[in-house]
Amino acid sequence: MEKYIYINDRPVLWEDETNILDLTRKAHIDIPTFCYHSDLSLYGACRLCMVEVEGRGLVTSCSTAPFEGMKIKTHTAQILKLRKTIVEMLLANHDQECPKCSRANDCKLRDVSNRLGIDKVRFRKTREPKPMDLGSECLVRDPNKCVLCGDCVRFCSEIQGIGAIDFAARGQNVNVAAAYGKSLAQVDCINCGQCAAVCPTGAIVVRSHIPQAWEAIHDPQKTVVAQVAPAVRVALGEMFGLPASDLTTGKMIAAMRMIGFDQVYDTAFAADLTVIEEANEFIARKANGEKLPIFTSCCPAWVKYAEQSYPKLLNNLSSCRSPQQIFGAIAKERLPKQLKVEQKDLVVVSIMPCTAKKYECKRPEFIHDGIADVDIALTTQELGRMIKEAGIDFDSLEPESMDLPMGFATGAGMIFGNSGGVSEAVLRYAADKFNIPVQENIVLQEVRGESGLREATLADGNLKMAVVHGLKNAQILCDKILAGEADYDIVEVMACPGGCTGGAGQPIVMNHSKRKARTTSLYHADKTMPMHRAQDNPFIGELYEALLEKPNSHKAHELLHTAFKHRKRIDDDELSFSGSGDEDRCKIRVCVGTSCYLRGSQDILAKTLQMVEEHAWGKHFDISATFCSEKCDKGPNVSIGDRVIHKATLDQVKDIISQEAEKRVK
Amino acid sequence: MSAEYAAAHSFNKVIEILDRYDRSESKIIPILQAVQEEYRYLPQEVLTFIATSLRISPARLYGVATFYSHFSLEPKGKHILKMCDGTACHVRGSSAVIDALRDKLKLTTKKITTDDMMFTFETVSCLGACGLAPVLVVDENIYGQVSPEQALGLVNDIIEKEKQNA
């Protein structure tokens, strides 16, 4: 039987909605809220979504379950006054520098304040100004704009499983902070930027590299070439009022040339190359039955997360660089000759849907003798802003096409922007090899979809794959793999919801439908392309002939592959157990970071301290606990003097200390 | 126990505390209380170790540690003075005592611990002993109806005792 509730005296069909807020939205009423996010846990902190329920009085609609026959009013005089007062109080302490804020156009606080017709703030500022966090390459935090809705905190811990930021202090002093009030750059933040994407105001924003891009463009010495990631072209139009489903590749290229980019290329070309390298890497591993499952490594946020949290799985990551870095390496190798420019005068700018790409291009392994493979990484939003800054009327532009050869891509490279795209592209390449039947239009439905964890078994059970997005899902999967409870050949991981199309560098969207439209649009783009398999790209074939010889060759490894390292989660000091003493004391360092800790380093440390005390050797040794020696796969790690002991055992450590002590006591 | 081994003992104590509470996330508060008792504050490196052991993010633990005014992330003095400045104590003249103690110890609202790490002076909002107002707590001892002179006398006694022990 159908159930109804009554919103402002009008019946609304109650189906599976779990709270009143969702029901009011169905009834075409958009109640303002800061802290309600359908993907996240209920928080009920902002109090803006108050409604009146007959018999109950005022309740928060986000956290109140409907019941049959419920009678709700959504805009009584009392509710309107209450909402205004709440927003006024938030504004009182909000840094109201709106014209200078990068979120000026999509700020929820500004929008709600406008909608509620607030024309003055009756309350005075009560909070002391707090310093901004400017340490991260990808994100800037300004606590003076924070409304404490907690969306960023919950996204980071619930969807990404990290918890790099959380609420600190209390009452008047409450603020969102990284551990110990450190910068995001010093903690386990993976730079996915989803905190900035869910922030209703400008309290967390993407760091802008627009000035650097203009500087390069305005320098007559420099030749500036751009690479554009697939997901950018299905979202850029949103910044100019076009629907999310619009593929704006042609207009985008025209606008970029007008801005002053000398060449415009496609990151999807590099993605085609990634497919071939990664697929061959996989085929070789599968043949030898080693280092399986292979994990994709295109997502820099996932890579940093794996480096911090899954040292045991680092060997399983594909050694392929991400398409951004592959493009950079090939560009810096080949373009100086092709474009008749010195390597130092060639500037590679990438346009990415992603904030973590800013961090990735600054990784030391991608910078050689001061020359970076990718010089500047901009987000979709930043490109949109540059187009606006240059006064270009985007919508009226005539479409143009990319420059050859690196502007030519197949549909395989194109779908990299969607979660499941990398897997599908690899499958298209390897289909023959594994006897996977491929239909005419080369769609592999098995790996497509919205769910955060998708599995597919192909080739008569010979090929098992998993596709995850959101690192919490990745965490669950990795734990299962390590525990031997799950078994795959290929695992694709993307940190952002929906993959790169949902990246934090994209225009801000507050609902799922726009993101889904981008995904669909990218699959459409694939359909309209002349080729769908990476191996069919003639310019890739030419590149192998001229430069790379064959997949996974020595030269390919030099330019297209990389290695991963274990990484500390928190930039911490050592925990010292010794007072001051002789300069030449023997240093003992016991790692108690997560990985070593789990392998029993704590016991080694405790027994070492006990031993040194029992023998009264205190003046000969200087003992500290370190929080990560970044050799996690070989833990527990102990260093004594110049010796580093991996997989240390207590007896081993005790022996060496005794030897050292003997030397020193003499 | 020599000072040299104090840090090692404290660390072993932290391990004991963690074991005592089964390294359970739900025991965060008692764990932090016990650890603070050991160190007199919560050192950052120890907090990271506790977070690792409890398998929670350091930011979450930092949030808990900063939520309660009982916990301190700054080293505290050997002797802790707490003056109540709740309504009842305030009306009965706590301000004069507060001023006298801050003046004597060269402390302010921001700087609450003396350079020699001997004293930490804090104000609290209510100790629930309003009948004794104004109330001063010196380490574990509670003094009611204190005057500025009396408070200074208590501090001087501690300084004398510490001199003799040194």
Side-chain angles (χ1 to χ4, degrees):
Chain A
M1 210 188 86
E2 286 177 345
K3 287 183 280 189
Y4 286 90
I5 69 159
Y6 297 87
I7 299 179
N8 302 328
D9 300 327
R10 292 157 74 102
V12 179
L13 180 64
W14 173 28
E15 287 159 308
D16 54 355
E17 291 83 1
T18 54
N19 62 63
I20 310 176
L21 187 61
D22 281 344
L23 268 167
T24 59
R25 285 179 180 175
K26 194 160 96 176
H28 313 289
I29 298 167
D30 180 21
I31 294 177
T33 165
F34 289 131
C35 70
Y36 179 71
H37 208 288
S38 55
D39 292 333
L40 306 176
S41 63
L42 280 177
Y43 195 50
C46 78
R47 319 309 280 175
L48 272 182
C49 70
M50 286 280 191
V51 295
E52 195 180 294
V53 174
E54 196 178 277
R56 280 202 200 173
L58 291 173
V59 297
T60 44
S61 59
C62 67
S63 59
T64 305
F67 58 80
E68 202 183 347
M70 192 179 211
K71 291 192 172 70
I72 299 162
K73 297 263 195 261
T74 62
H75 55 265
T76 63
Q78 188 189 16
I79 291 170
L80 291 182
K81 189 176 165 199
L82 185 77
R83 282 192 197 136
K84 267 191 184 182
T85 309
I86 291 169
V87 174
E88 267 186 79
M89 288 198 280
L90 288 173
L91 283 171
N93 276 318
H94 183 78
D95 181 358
Q96 294 171 43
E97 302 258 320
C98 300
K100 290 188 276 175
C101 179
S102 69
R103 288 293 301 272
N105 288 328
D106 41 29
C107 172
K108 254 196 192 176
L109 180 58
R110 208 184 131 180
D111 176 53
V112 169
S113 165
N114 242 310
R115 273 169 54 186
L116 298 179
I118 290 169
D119 49 13
K120 65 173 188 296
V121 175
R122 290 168 293 168
F123 312 109
R124 67 185 165 79
K125 203 179 193 75
T126 54
R127 306 180 72 175
E128 296 274 314
K130 286 200 164 65
M132 291 166 74
D133 173 7
L134 301 166
S136 161
E137 192 62 41
C138 311
L139 298 161
V140 174
R141 292 200 316 115
D142 184 352
N144 308 304
K145 290 179 183 164
C146 181
V147 294
L148 302 172
C149 65
D151 291 350
C152 54
V153 169
R154 282 173 292 140
F155 203 104
C156 193
S157 87
E158 292 172 14
I159 307 289
Q160 301 297 42
I162 297 184
I165 44 176
D166 211 320
F167 286 110
R170 180 168 59 162
Q172 185 71 359
N173 300 317
V174 140
N175 65 104
V176 172
Y180 319 117
K182 284 173 185 282
S183 164
L184 286 178
Q186 297 168 303
V187 298
D188 44 357
C189 168
I190 49 150
N191 306 309
C192 73
Q194 289 297 330
C195 50
V198 294
C199 179
T201 73
I204 308 184
V205 296
V206 179
R207 178 175 215 111
S208 170
H209 290 86
I210 294 175
Q212 289 86 335
W214 279 126
E215 194 187 321
I217 288 168
H218 290 146
D219 187 341
Q221 273 297 109
K222 306 284 187 197
T223 298
V224 185
V225 304
Q227 56 163 321
V228 189
V232 175
R233 63 205 75 182
V234 293
L236 181 66
E238 293 165 31
M239 290 188 75
F240 301 93
L242 303 171
S245 51
D246 270 21
L247 187 66
T248 53
T249 323
K251 289 181 200 285
M252 174 186 76
I253 298 162
M256 289 174 73
R257 292 225 176 85
M258 286 168 77
I259 282 175
F261 288 101
D262 295 298
Q263 304 279 314
V264 181
Y265 298 120
D266 205 334
T267 308
F269 170 87
D272 277 343
L273 203 48
T274 311
V275 172
I276 294 175
E277 289 293 321
E278 192 163 326
N280 278 289
E281 190 183 8
F282 167 67
I283 290 165
R285 286 193 196 182
K286 180 79 178 162
N288 296 332
E290 60 175 23
K291 292 194 272 182
L292 292 172
I294 188 171
F295 283 86
T296 60
S297 59
C298 317
C299 172
W302 150 243
V303 167
K304 184 168 185 252
Y305 178 67
E307 288 182 320
Q308 284 167 185
S309 302
Y310 287 98
K312 276 188 190 162
L313 291 173
L314 279 191
N315 278 334
N316 290 54
L317 261 64
S318 159
S319 67
C320 282
R321 295 180 193 181
S322 72
Q324 163 174 278
Q325 293 308 131
I326 285 187
F327 181 94
I330 298 286
K332 289 283 163 100
E333 174 86 9
R334 294 200 101 194
L335 288 181
K337 206 169 154 196
Q338 273 177 20
L339 303 176
K340 299 185 178 58
V341 54
E342 278 193 61
Q343 199 191 41
K344 69 172 176 54
D345 290 328
L346 179 73
V347 179
V348 174
V349 178
S350 60
I351 317 290
M352 294 284 144
C354 173
T355 51
K357 290 284 170 193
K358 290 172 182 282
Y359 164 84
E360 186 186 42
C361 74
K362 293 285 184 305
R363 287 177 67 124
E365 58 267 37
F366 301 135
I367 301 174
H368 318 282
D369 305 323
I371 295 182
D373 289 342
V374 173
D375 298 274
I376 302 164
L378 300 177
T379 59
T380 312
Q381 283 186 53
E382 286 167 272
L383 175 63
R385 252 177 255 140
M386 286 179 81
I387 295 172
K388 286 182 179 175
E389 195 177 349
I392 295 166
D393 180 8
F394 187 78
D395 195 21
S396 67
L397 295 178
E398 293 285 327
E400 295 181 16
S401 62
M402 301 240 186
D403 291 290
L404 292 177
M406 287 199 280
F408 187 90
T410 72
M414 191 59 61
I415 56 172
F416 257 57
N418 284 339
S419 164
V422 180
S423 308
E424 186 171 338
V426 168
L427 285 179
R428 288 181 189 182
Y429 179 88
D432 295 345
K433 175 100 191 153
F434 291 100
N435 286 323
I436 302 168
V438 174
Q439 295 153 353
E440 195 73 23
N441 54 1
I442 323 200
V443 172
L444 290 155
Q445 285 297 347
E446 289 86 347
V447 289
R448 293 190 180 186
E450 272 286 313
S451 156
L453 167 59
R454 310 193 289 281
E455 292 169 298
T457 306
L458 298 154
D460 303 325
N462 193 25
L463 204 57
K464 280 188 269 182
M465 357 198 10
V467 175
V468 289
H469 58 85
L471 293 182
K472 179 82 183 182
N473 291 327
Q475 195 179 324
I476 294 167
L477 196 76
C478 289
D479 288 343
K480 273 191 185 167
I481 290 170
L482 285 175
E485 293 162 13
D487 170 33
Y488 303 102
D489 295 295
I490 301 176
V491 178
E492 177 193 311
V493 185
M494 297 289 162
C496 292
C500 308
T501 45
Q506 301 277 57
I508 303 283
V509 287
M510 295 297 179
N511 59 50
H512 287 293
S513 62
K514 267 194 180 173
R515 210 193 68 222
K516 279 186 194 161
R518 291 174 188 165
T519 304
T520 312
S521 182
L522 209 51
Y523 281 129
H524 284 165
D526 165 38
K527 278 189 190 163
T528 58
M529 300 187 82
M531 295 162 198
H532 308 281
R533 304 188 310 171
Q535 65 267 43
D536 297 336
N537 187 335
F539 295 100
I540 296 279
E542 182 257 345
L543 186 64
Y544 272 109
E545 251 167 57
L547 181 71
L548 301 168
E549 295 170 42
K550 61 180 190 345
N552 295 335
S553 70
H554 181 71
K555 188 71 183 170
H557 265 275
E558 192 186 306
L559 289 175
L560 313 179
H561 291 251
T562 185
F564 308 103
K565 59 171 264 197
H566 310 299
R567 205 173 280 279
K568 273 175 104 146
R569 283 168 68 201
I570 305 271
D571 210 355
D572 249 339
D573 288 336
E574 291 169 347
L575 178 58
S576 174
F577 302 113
S578 309
S580 54
D582 304 340
E583 275 292 297
D584 61 343
R585 283 184 302 173
C586 177
K587 279 192 181 145
I588 302 178
R589 297 286 176 267
V590 182
C591 180
V592 289
T594 314
S595 190
C596 291
Y597 170 83
L598 293 174
R599 297 178 199 210
S601 65
Q602 175 205 296
D603 188 48
I604 295 180
L605 178 62
K607 299 268 164 56
T608 303
L609 290 166
Q610 201 184 341
M611 176 185 184
V612 169
E613 186 184 352
E614 273 167 13
H615 292 84
W617 287 337
K619 64 176 189 289
H620 302 299
F621 293 98
D622 163 24
I623 308 173
S624 292
T626 65
F627 284 95
C628 186
S629 44
E630 304 192 335
K631 294 272 184 295
C632 310
D633 56 333
K634 296 178 189 151
N637 293 296
V638 179
S639 72
I640 302 172
D642 301 332
R643 297 173 66 171
V644 180
I645 309 152
H646 301 305
K647 300 193 173 165
T649 61
L650 182 60
D651 291 339
Q652 209 181 349
V653 170
K654 276 187 164 175
D655 278 352
I656 299 171
I657 292 176
S658 305
Q659 290 163 20
E660 280 291 335
E662 219 167 285
K663 269 193 262 170
R664 282 162 199 271
V665 171
K666 276 178 194 167
Chain B
M1 176 173 64
S2 70
E4 215 162 289
Y5 301 117
H9 275 274
S10 295
F11 183 70
N12 281 334
K13 199 72 183 288
V14 171
I15 293 169
E16 257 176 60
I17 292 163
L18 287 168
D19 288 339
R20 193 187 324 147
Y21 293 105
D22 303 323
R23 301 183 186 238
S24 154
E25 190 186 337
S26 61
K27 306 276 170 55
I28 287 184
I29 305 286
I31 290 172
L32 290 181
Q33 280 174 325
V35 169
Q36 173 154 298
E37 206 154 296
E38 187 59 35
Y39 285 90
R40 286 194 283 166
Y41 77 113
L42 297 170
Q44 187 178 310
E45 297 74 26
V46 174
L47 281 180
T48 307
F49 178 74
I50 296 170
T52 307
S53 307
L54 299 183
R55 313 252 188 130
I56 59 172
S57 88
R60 171 67 42 99
L61 190 61
Y62 175 71
V64 174
T66 52
F67 183 87
Y68 297 99
S69 57
H70 172 72
F71 296 125
S72 171
L73 277 80
E74 301 291 327
K76 284 201 180 178
K78 187 170 177 189
H79 300 283
I80 296 180
L81 312 174
K82 284 183 192 153
M83 185 70 207
C84 181
D85 199 20
T87 313
C89 290
H90 189 81
V91 170
R92 301 288 294 271
S94 61
S95 305
V97 185
I98 293 170
D99 290 345
L101 286 174
R102 285 208 176 119
D103 202 40
K104 162 84 185 165
L105 299 170
K106 298 193 178 61
L107 296 175
T108 65
T109 47
K110 294 254 162 68
K111 178 176 160 52
I112 61 163
T113 300
T114 56
D115 290 334
D116 61 1
M117 298 302 291
M118 196 55 83
F119 291 100
T120 292
F121 176 62
E122 299 170 324
T123 58
V124 291
S125 290
C126 186
L127 291 163
C130 309
L132 301 174
V135 179
L136 175 68
V137 183
V138 179
D139 295 326
E140 305 284 289
N141 304 313
I142 298 160
Y143 300 89
Q145 296 174 344
V146 281
S147 65
E149 295 73 29
Q150 209 183 335
L152 293 176
L154 290 167
V155 169
N156 281 328
D157 289 349
I158 294 175
I159 294 172
E160 276 310 309
K161 250 187 221 154
E162 288 291 341
K163 266 187 196 158
Q164 283 164 17
N165 288 347

